[in-house]
Amino acid sequence: MEVIAVSVDSMFVHKVWDEEELAKMVDGGIPFPMASDGAGNIGKVYGVYDEAGGVDVRGRFIIDPDGVVQAMEVLTPPVGRKVDEAIRQIKAFQYVRETKGAEAMPSGWEPGKPTLKVGPDLVGKVWKVWKP
Amino acid sequence: MAEEEIVGCGKPTGSVVGEPETATKKRTQEESKEVQMVAVKVGAKAPDFEAPAYHKGKFTSVKLSDYLGKWVLLCFYPGDFTFV
């Protein structure tokens, strides 16, 4: 899994932020590319550019190996994301892909927990295999 | 991954791949051209883009389509040095 971070800041600012602050929180600094969307061009097509503030808001997209968007989450700036949740979703989508869609992940699914084998036999019988 | 970029004194920005002019224009100048709105939808292709980037001490560039074959977590955030 690869991460790409994007903000409207220049790569010069990314460098100094990484060196001066982030490297003090993450050993060795940020391991993934920090891209610059100074004009908001990328944020606009992803629907996360806030014209009034001139920033890309907190949008997170899970993109599969075919380049298809499988999930998105967009938050206004004051609340941060939970990385564990993004990882859980990626694992769930990876599992679905491995089974070629034969299995689905019920609400609250986590790695190791039962999945749903979708098909005629499961109709009306989910209660037998899964409890919230 | 892309080669290291030689940087000038401009403030380069990213652009959407496939948009006329913006994609082909040299990124060393500020872009003023309005980009066409494309709605991102789950289950649909992620719009390709290319942008200058900072990565582990180097100035480089990223292009989303270079990541085909891999899972990508694309994260936008409001700004460097903001608090959250």
Side-chain angles (χ1 to χ4, degrees), chain B residues 26-65:
Chain B
K26 254 302 193 206
R27 295 193 312 266
T28 45
Q29 289 171 344
E30 285 289 339
E31 310 234 340
S32 56
K33 181 122 168 59
E34 273 298 303
V35 226
Q36 217 184 323
M37 292 301 285
V38 179
V40 172
K41 283 196 274 190
V42 287
K45 282 265 181 188
D48 193 16
F49 63 85
E50 189 170 13
Y54 168 76
H55 188 203
K56 291 199 275 197
K58 293 193 164 79
F59 293 130
T60 176
S61 73
V62 289
K63 189 177 186 189
L64 184 65
S65 52

Side-chain angles (χ1 to χ4, degrees), chain A residues 55-111:
Chain A
V55 297
D56 288 329
V57 296
R58 248 175 255 290
R60 181 219 73 186
F61 300 83
I62 296 173
I63 302 168
D64 77 10
D66 296 321
V68 172
V69 178
Q70 292 294 349
M72 59 170 98
E73 174 191 77
V74 185
L75 309 177
T76 54
V79 173
R81 295 170 267 234
K82 188 163 172 68
V83 178
D84 288 350
E85 174 56 9
I87 292 170
R88 186 194 72 87
Q89 288 182 16
I90 291 168
K91 285 182 173 164
F93 282 113
Q94 287 176 333
Y95 199 99
V96 170
R97 191 178 169 93
E98 276 169 30
T99 67
K100 297 192 173 13
E103 293 181 32
M105 308 297 130
S107 170
W109 179 86
E110 287 188 22

